[in-house]
Coordinates of all heavy atoms in Angstrom, one line a residue:
V205 N 41.1 39.7 2.1 CA 40.9 41.0 2.9 C 39.9 41.9 2.2 O 39.1 42.4 3.0 CB 42.3 41.7 2.9 CG1 42.1 43.1 3.5 CG2 43.2 40.8 3.8
A206 N 39.9 41.9 0.9 CA 39.0 42.9 0.3 C 38.1 42.4 -1.0 O 37.6 43.2 -1.7 CB 39.9 44.1 -0.2
G207 N 38.1 41.1 -1.0 CA 37.3 40.5 -2.2 C 35.9 40.6 -1.7 O 35.4 41.0 -0.8
P208 N 35.1 40.0 -2.8 CA 33.7 40.0 -2.6 C 33.3 39.1 -1.3 O 33.9 38.0 -1.1 CB 33.1 39.3 -3.7 CG 34.1 39.4 -4.8 CD 35.4 39.5 -4.1
P209 N 32.5 39.5 -0.3 CA 32.0 38.9 0.8 C 31.9 37.4 0.5 O 32.3 36.6 1.5 CB 30.9 39.6 1.4 CG 31.0 41.0 0.8 CD 31.6 40.7 -0.5
A210 N 31.2 37.0 -0.5 CA 30.8 35.6 -0.7 C 32.0 34.7 -0.9 O 31.8 33.6 -0.7 CB 29.9 35.5 -2.0
V211 N 33.1 35.2 -1.3 CA 34.3 34.3 -1.6 C 35.4 34.5 -0.3 O 36.3 33.6 -0.4 CB 35.0 34.6 -2.9 CG1 33.9 34.2 -4.0 CG2 35.4 35.9 -3.0
R212 N 35.3 35.3 0.5 CA 36.3 35.5 1.5 C 36.4 34.4 2.3 O 37.6 33.9 2.7 CB 35.9 36.8 2.4 CG 36.1 38.1 1.7 CD 35.9 39.2 2.6 NE 35.8 40.5 1.9 CZ 35.3 41.5 2.3 NH1 34.8 41.6 3.5 NH2 35.2 42.7 1.6
E213 N 35.4 33.7 2.9 CA 35.5 32.6 3.8 C 36.2 31.4 3.0 O 37.1 30.8 3.6 CB 34.2 32.1 4.4 CG 34.2 31.0 5.2 CD 32.9 30.6 5.8 OE1 31.9 31.4 5.5 OE2 32.8 29.6 6.6
D214 N 35.8 31.1 1.8 CA 36.4 30.1 0.9 C 37.9 30.3 0.8 O 38.7 29.4 0.8 CB 35.8 29.8 -0.2 CG 34.3 29.2 -0.1 OD1 34.1 28.6 1.0 OD2 33.6 29.4 -1.1
T215 N 38.2 31.6 0.6 CA 39.6 31.9 0.2 C 40.5 31.9 1.5 O 41.5 31.3 1.5 CB 39.7 33.4 -0.2 OG1 38.9 33.6 -1.3 CG2 41.0 33.8 -0.5
M216 N 39.8 32.2 2.7 CA 40.6 31.8 4.0 C 40.9 30.4 4.3 O 41.8 30.1 4.7 CB 40.0 32.6 5.2 CG 40.0 34.0 5.2 SD 41.7 34.7 5.4 CE 42.3 33.9 6.9
W217 N 39.9 29.7 3.9 CA 40.0 28.3 4.1 C 41.1 27.7 3.2 O 42.0 27.0 3.7 CB 38.6 27.5 3.7 CG 38.8 26.0 3.8 CD1 38.4 25.2 4.9 CD2 39.1 25.1 2.7 NE1 38.7 23.8 4.5 CE2 39.1 23.9 3.3 CE3 39.6 25.3 1.4 CZ2 39.5 22.7 2.4 CZ3 39.9 24.2 0.7 CH2 39.8 23.0 1.2
L218 N 41.3 28.1 2.0 CA 42.3 27.7 1.0 C 43.6 28.1 1.5 O 44.6 27.4 1.6 CB 42.0 28.2 -0.4 CG 43.0 27.8 -1.4 CD1 43.3 26.2 -1.4 CD2 42.6 28.3 -2.8
L219 N 43.7 29.4 2.0 CA 45.0 30.0 2.6 C 45.4 29.2 3.7 O 46.6 28.9 3.9 CB 44.8 31.4 2.9 CG 44.9 32.4 1.8 CD1 44.5 33.8 2.2 CD2 46.4 32.4 1.1
T220 N 44.4 28.8 4.7 CA 44.8 28.1 5.9 C 45.4 26.7 5.5 O 46.3 26.2 6.0 CB 43.6 28.0 6.8 OG1 43.2 29.3 7.1 CG2 43.9 27.2 8.1
R221 N 44.6 26.0 4.5 CA 45.0 24.7 4.1 C 46.4 24.6 3.4 O 47.2 23.8 3.6 CB 44.0 24.2 3.1 CG 42.8 23.7 3.8 CD 43.0 22.6 4.7 NE 41.7 21.9 5.0 CZ 41.3 21.6 6.2 NH1 42.2 21.7 7.2 NH2 40.2 21.0 6.5
L222 N 46.7 25.7 2.6 CA 48.0 25.9 2.0 C 49.1 26.1 3.1 O 50.2 25.5 3.1 CB 48.1 27.1 1.1 CG 47.3 26.9 -0.2 CD1 47.3 28.4 -1.0 CD2 48.2 25.9 -1.1
A223 N 48.8 26.7 4.2 CA 49.8 27.0 5.2 C 49.9 25.9 6.2 O 51.0 25.4 6.6 CB 49.4 28.2 6.1
V224 N 48.7 25.3 6.6 CA 48.8 24.2 7.6 C 47.7 23.2 7.2 O 46.5 23.4 7.5 CB 48.5 24.8 9.1 CG1 48.7 23.7 10.1 CG2 49.6 25.9 9.4
D225 N 48.1 22.2 6.9 CA 47.1 21.0 6.6 C 47.1 20.0 7.6 O 48.0 19.9 8.4 CB 47.3 20.4 5.2 CG 46.2 19.6 4.6 OD1 45.0 20.0 5.0 OD2 46.5 18.5 4.0
R226 N 46.2 19.0 7.5 CA 46.0 18.1 8.6 C 47.3 17.2 8.7 O 47.4 16.7 9.8 CB 44.8 17.2 8.2 CG 44.9 16.3 7.0 CD 43.7 15.7 6.6 NE 43.6 15.0 5.4 CZ 43.1 15.6 4.3 NH1 42.7 16.8 4.4 NH2 43.2 15.1 3.2
H227 N 48.2 17.1 7.8 CA 49.4 16.2 8.0 C 50.5 17.0 8.4 O 51.7 16.4 8.5 CB 49.6 15.5 6.6 CG 48.4 14.7 6.1 ND1 48.1 13.6 6.8 CD2 47.7 14.7 5.1 CE1 47.0 13.0 6.2 NE2 46.7 13.6 5.1
D228 N 50.5 18.3 8.5 CA 51.5 19.2 8.6 C 52.2 19.2 10.0 O 53.2 19.7 10.3 CB 51.4 20.6 8.2 CG 51.2 20.8 6.8 OD1 51.6 19.8 6.1 OD2 50.8 21.9 6.4
E229 N 51.5 18.5 11.0 CA 52.1 18.6 12.4 C 53.4 17.8 12.5 O 54.2 18.0 13.2 CB 51.1 17.9 13.4 CG 50.8 16.4 13.2 CD 49.5 16.2 12.4 OE1 49.0 17.3 11.8 OE2 49.0 15.2 12.5
Y230 N 53.6 17.0 11.4 CA 54.9 16.2 11.3 C 56.1 17.0 10.6 O 57.1 16.8 10.9 CB 54.7 15.1 10.4 CG 53.5 14.2 10.9 CD1 52.5 14.1 10.0 CD2 53.6 13.4 12.1 CE1 51.3 13.3 10.5 CE2 52.6 12.6 12.5 CZ 51.4 12.5 11.7 OH 50.4 11.8 12.2
D231 N 55.6 18.1 10.0 CA 56.6 19.0 9.3 C 56.7 20.4 9.8 O 57.6 21.2 9.2 CB 56.3 19.1 7.7 CG 56.2 17.7 7.2 OD1 57.0 16.8 7.5 OD2 55.3 17.4 6.3
L232 N 56.0 20.7 10.7 CA 55.9 22.2 11.2 C 57.1 22.5 12.0 O 57.7 21.8 12.8 CB 54.6 22.4 12.0 CG 53.3 22.3 11.3 CD1 52.3 22.6 12.3 CD2 53.3 23.5 10.2
T233 N 57.5 23.8 11.8 CA 58.7 24.4 12.7 C 58.0 24.7 14.0 O 56.8 24.7 14.1 CB 59.3 25.6 12.0 OG1 58.2 26.5 11.8 CG2 59.9 25.2 10.7
T234 N 58.8 25.0 15.0 CA 58.1 25.3 16.3 C 57.3 26.7 16.2 O 57.6 27.5 15.3 CB 59.3 25.5 17.3 OG1 60.2 26.6 16.9 CG2 60.0 24.2 17.6
G235 N 56.4 26.7 17.2 CA 55.7 28.0 17.2 C 54.4 27.9 16.7 O 53.6 28.9 16.7

């Protein structure tokens, strides 16, 4: 949200991967 612009995109990528990775469709709750 408030870090240096150069690292925000990579940080969002990492947060997204932590939350939902390519194998997670097997383990996700609904919604």
Side-chain angles (χ1 to χ4, degrees):
V205 170
V211 298
R212 288 183 191 167
E213 185 176 349
D214 289 341
T215 304
M216 283 302 300
W217 178 89
L218 179 54
L219 282 167
T220 302
R221 289 291 194 222
L222 284 168
V224 181
D225 190 39
R226 62 184 173 269
H227 302 294
D228 285 345
E229 65 264 16
Y230 307 110
D231 302 322
L232 291 175
T233 59
T234 58

